[in-house]
Amino acid sequence: MEEENACSSQGGPAQKSKSASAALSIVTAVAAVPLVTLTPRSTSSFPPLPSNPFPAGTLRGLNTLAKAHGRYFGTALQESQQRVNDTKYTYLSASFSEFGMVTPENDMKWELTEFTQGDFTFAGADYVLGYAHHNGQTVRGHNFVWYNQLGQGILAPYINWTNSTILAIIKEHIQAVGGRYKGQLYVWDVVNEPLNDDGTFQTNIWYNVTGSYYIKYALQVARETDPYARLYINDYNIETVSNKSNAYLNLVKGLLAEGVPLDGIGCETHLILGETPSTADMITNFQRFADLGLEWAITELDIRMDLANNATEGNSTQLAQQATEYAQVVSACLGISTCVGITTWETSDSYSWVPGVFTGQGSGLLFDFSSNPKPAYYAVADALAGHNGTKIVDGPFVSQGGFNDWENPKKVTDPKRRRGL
């Protein structure tokens, strides 16, 4: 749901005056987009990594456990939070054994890469990508086209967008951002949250002008821009069979029938304690998309709860229930071969988006405000290790010898391998 900065598009640097015709000044060829190599990168660019600050035996290595069954375990990061004086958090966020996949929580979004139409800024995105690669981690690109956190140039009331001008700025943005990081990412969330909970299309700036065509167009431009990255549509409240997931099934069937490039579905999985679906119900839904040959990824997992009296963490009963529900989600991913991995939406509760958006709620992650592991952390580790009767079906990366294709991404040219099948 990613509402962590839902109001942030109202702020930012002063917007330069632009006319509608400026939107047509686009990059017309992928080759014209500057491509930078971010790895290897000087270690002086990043803060020194601390030694393990946890007592021996505290950590289990979630990514190491996931990799043993052909999956990754990941987290979301922001550039600004890698500069904080928080030894445990810094260690965890850089630990390949805990998190092998990194999603830039905000730094690759439109607002932070193109706040002013046509003026691109990559400092934060460069930093997170380089930091992750420096630590041996793979990166999920997030995201190209969303209705939220947009630059002011798009939202400017004086621009009367037409089909051609709105598609032009989508192309310009994807070519500029995607071209810069070509061959350096595992996947792009190309279109983010295009559907409502009832299965209808979100009425946003993209849909209001182009109808649903913008989804197809963005996927096509993304594949042309970076043929090595998997391409996803990402959304919330699609964990089980529902009006929304049914609509997704119909949407992707149509896209695939037209030959539109689509490799997977990102299931955000922002959940509420006590409302987490059963493992069986989630697997039933995941399988419908697996039958279409698509990857499935849990992309933004947290399980938030009500907090009493301004507390930062739940009570022991809540934390025990949260552990059970985290295990349910992880077991669902482990129960189907096309679920490629799990990403939590940040590492510790001290940096979670939840308290800033849902008043009186929080404590949604695996590490608490002091970056110490919670019961949910150990429940996830046990599930990944196959304890407590967890059924594990090996994931798609076992036969590939690991998922870290970013080290030599241009070898990933076969479409079946690109999909991880």
Side-chain angles (χ1 to χ4, degrees):
M1 192 167 301
E2 295 184 86
E3 295 168 352
E4 63 270 33
N5 285 319
C7 297
S8 60
S9 61
Q10 304 303 314
Q15 171 68 26
K16 295 178 182 177
S17 175
K18 281 189 177 282
S19 65
S21 62
L24 291 175
S25 179
I26 64 172
V27 180
T28 56
V30 174
V33 179
L35 174 63
V36 295
T37 300
L38 299 180
T39 55
R41 190 170 178 177
S42 170
T43 57
S44 63
S45 300
F46 309 110
L49 299 181
S51 57
N52 187 345
F54 294 92
T58 300
L59 300 178
R60 300 271 188 87
L62 300 184
N63 186 58
T64 299
L65 292 168
K67 278 177 63 69
H69 301 290
R71 295 174 178 83
Y72 62 80
F73 203 91
T75 189
L77 301 177
Q78 296 191 66
E79 181 269 340
S80 60
Q81 290 165 2
Q82 304 319 302
R83 303 180 190 276
V84 298
N85 184 22
D86 186 336
T87 301
K88 289 182 178 179
Y89 175 84
T90 301
Y91 175 81
L92 290 168
S93 66
S95 171
F96 180 79
S97 64
E98 296 298 329
F99 301 112
M101 185 72 74
V102 166
T103 303
E105 186 175 354
N106 286 302
D107 291 295
M108 287 185 175
K109 291 176 181 173
W110 200 304
E111 181 183 52
L112 293 183
T113 55
E114 193 186 1
F115 184 81
T116 300
Q117 180 62 38
D119 293 339
F120 291 90
T121 303
F122 298 106
D126 282 359
Y127 188 94
V128 174
L129 183 69
Y131 182 79
H133 284 185
H134 172 64
N135 296 318
Q137 297 161 311
T138 307
V139 176
R140 300 187 78 260
H142 179 78
N143 56 64
F144 283 142
V145 181
W146 188 24
Y147 61 84
N148 207 343
Q149 290 183 250
L150 294 170
Q152 285 189 348
I154 296 175
L155 300 175
Y158 52 79
I159 297 181
N160 183 23
W161 294 110
T162 65
N163 195 69
S164 61
T165 57
I166 207 79
L167 294 177
I169 65 165
I170 288 175
K171 184 174 185 178
E172 177 188 41
H173 184 80
I174 293 176
Q175 287 186 329
V177 180
R180 184 174 183 82
Y181 304 119
K182 179 181 178 181
Q184 300 179 73
L185 302 166
Y186 169 72
V187 65
W188 270 108
D189 291 328
V190 178
V191 179
N192 201 49
E193 302 176 0
L195 297 184
N196 295 306
D197 282 345
D198 63 2
T200 59
F201 286 99
Q202 287 269 7
T203 53
N204 55 50
I205 187 171
W206 315 115
Y207 183 81
N208 291 346
V209 178
T210 75
S212 64
Y213 180 75
Y214 79 93
I215 299 172
K216 170 183 176 179
Y217 184 75
L219 288 163
Q220 290 171 329
V221 174
R223 177 52 46 85
E224 293 167 0
T225 301
D226 188 350
Y228 312 110
R230 279 106 160 148
L231 306 181
Y232 277 43
I233 300 174
N234 190 57
D235 215 324
Y236 60 93
N237 289 351
I238 55 171
E239 297 82 15
T240 61
V241 176
S242 64
N243 288 338
K244 189 170 187 176
S245 65
N246 288 340
Y248 261 104
L249 196 67
N250 292 330
L251 172 64
V252 300
K253 282 180 179 178
L255 292 170
L256 295 173
E258 291 186 63
V260 177
L262 178 67
D263 300 303
I265 300 295
C267 180
E268 293 182 12
T269 323
H270 293 297
L271 301 172
I272 301 171
L273 190 69
E275 300 180 17
T276 298
S278 71
T279 296
D281 284 349
M282 286 186 275
I283 290 176
T284 296
N285 185 49
F286 297 178
Q287 184 64 54
R288 300 192 299 164
F289 294 85
D291 291 344
L292 300 178
L294 295 173
E295 293 181 355
W296 188 271
I298 294 170
T299 56
E300 304 181 18
L301 176 60
D302 48 36
I303 304 177
R304 65 184 186 269
M305 61 188 71
D306 292 331
L307 300 176
N309 301 321
N310 298 316
T312 57
E313 297 295 342
N315 60 43
S316 59
T317 300
Q318 288 175 308
L319 295 179
Q321 179 63 31
Q322 184 187 53
T324 298
E325 294 183 18
Y326 258 101
Q328 289 171 207
V329 176
V330 173
S331 296
C333 183
L334 293 172
I336 185 165
S337 64
T338 51
C339 184
V340 297
I342 300 164
T343 297
T344 58
W345 207 234
E346 256 296 350
T347 301
S348 70
D349 289 333
S350 53
Y351 301 106
S352 171
W353 69 292
V354 170
V357 174
F358 299 100
T359 302
Q361 294 186 327
S363 193
L365 294 167
L366 300 178
F367 294 86
D368 65 19
F369 254 73
S370 299
S371 295
N372 291 314
K374 296 156 63 174
Y377 172 86
Y378 295 106
V380 168
D382 285 345
L384 291 170
H387 296 167
N388 304 320
T390 302
K391 179 183 177 181
I392 299 178
V393 178
D394 279 343
F397 299 114
V398 171
S399 63
Q400 297 180 17
F403 66 87
N404 289 73
D405 287 324
W406 70 267
E407 293 179 342
N408 200 346
K410 294 186 180 181
K411 288 185 177 180
V412 191
T413 55
D414 177 71
K416 290 186 177 180
R417 188 175 179 206
R418 185 169 56 238
R419 286 171 137 183
L421 302 178

